[in-house]
Amino acid sequence: MGGRGRADVGIEGERGVAPAMNEMSVDAVDRQLVAALQRDGRATHEALAQAVGLSRVAARTRLLRLLDSGSVTVLGIVHPSVFGLHSCGHIGVRVAGAAAPVAAHIAGFDHAAFVSVVSGAYSLVVQLHCPDDATLAAEVNRIATLPAVIGTETAVYTEILKDNHVAPRRSTQTLDEVDLGLLRRLQADGRVSYAELAAEIDMSISAVRTRVLRLIETGTIHIGARIQPGFFGSNHLCGLGITFDEGRGAALATLAELPSVDYLAATLGRCDAICTLNSRSVDEALHDLETVRGVPGVRSVEAFNHLRVVKSLTSKSYSSAAQDAPAGLG
């Protein structure tokens, strides 16, 4: 989100425009409910009701309305390395002619975690998650040699600092196949019940609950709400390539604390960091961009607007990329 996203983005995570969101009436209570879900996507209906000052039934009704609209999803955020994806990169791509067909083609690549058509210096941007540097280099070359591509610029991620309002961690835990299966399932649906999980993996509900809570408490996964652009009027998604003077560490820490920053990664290559801003209006987008430019240590900012997100990170992206890496790249 990068490509954040973010999704998600997202990351960059789940970031596409859901038509239904323009037809929904949302209010301050909905905002409070989403904020509570961003903190804890598996919060009980009782906990959500207390957070927003409603009855359990009223809170559950609002939650289902938000989830059914497709404008709010609850997903698990996991560091790519958990699934053996240790090399990640952000590629700015310039194409001759229409960008959308090229973006759609690249979206079919197993290691493409995020693809978006943008305006600005590039025609589209791609986030790659790969098992190693050699695969990352091969995938960048695969993109660069597509017939319509006339140029690429790459930034290699060194650390993902923020994704959908949290800092995903590299797992220090020993994970078995059951843990990995739970992580993939929670990435797809962060509120899937313990009973459903238990039935799917043939394990007791109490054992599943213990494992899931351990994964959450150790920071291996964060489960939270991801909001589509346009919901609550938040429809200006802007990617940034940032370079620093001295004070890189302090500048990154300041950027990570900005509420408009949805995604942030430290990088090597064409820039020192990749950032995604999520703003509610043109005026707010300008304010957020100027705020980033004014952070001490920031030397320059290259901006590009996300016009159409063609692919964003899902659990399938993680699992298929890690397990089914293509034998030949053509």
Side-chain angles (χ1 to χ4, degrees), residues 92-281:
V93 184
R94 299 183 180 91
V95 305
V102 181
H105 179 71
I106 295 174
F109 294 3
D110 283 337
H111 293 296
F114 179 85
V115 183
S116 178
V117 178
V118 300
S119 65
Y122 308 109
S123 309
L124 57 112
V125 294
V126 180
Q127 189 180 100
L128 297 173
H129 289 180
C130 301
D132 51 49
D133 292 343
T135 304
L136 177 61
E139 289 286 79
V140 171
N141 184 66
R142 184 183 183 189
I143 292 172
T145 55
L146 291 174
V149 173
I150 58 176
T152 61
E153 295 182 11
T154 301
V156 177
Y157 290 11
T158 59
E159 185 179 5
I160 300 173
L161 300 167
K162 189 176 184 180
D163 187 356
N164 198 37
H165 308 289
V166 299
R169 304 180 194 172
R170 295 180 181 271
S171 178
T172 58
Q173 307 298 308
T174 300
L175 305 176
D176 59 20
E177 286 303 313
V178 174
D179 290 326
L180 294 175
L182 289 171
L183 290 171
R184 294 187 185 103
R185 186 69 173 87
L186 290 166
Q187 277 187 294
D189 180 3
R191 289 190 66 84
V192 61
S193 70
Y194 292 122
E196 289 180 75
L197 290 172
E200 291 173 8
I201 64 176
D202 194 23
M203 184 176 284
S204 71
I205 294 176
S206 62
V208 166
R209 180 185 293 108
T210 298
R211 281 181 178 257
V212 170
L213 292 177
R214 174 174 56 83
L215 293 171
I216 293 172
E217 290 168 359
T218 58
T220 304
I221 188 170
H222 172 81
I223 299 172
R226 195 178 290 277
I227 309 167
Q228 298 283 12
F231 196 62
F232 298 146
S234 181
N235 58 355
H236 293 270
L237 200 63
C238 183
L240 307 178
I242 303 172
T243 57
F244 299 113
D245 289 316
E246 296 180 359
R248 169 192 175 109
L252 284 169
T254 300
L255 290 169
E257 292 299 318
L258 296 178
S260 59
V261 171
D262 193 55
Y263 185 91
L264 179 66
T267 60
L268 296 173
R270 75 171 198 266
C271 57
D272 298 322
I274 293 291
C275 172
T276 302
L277 297 177
N278 201 338
S279 308
R280 292 176 293 182
S281 67

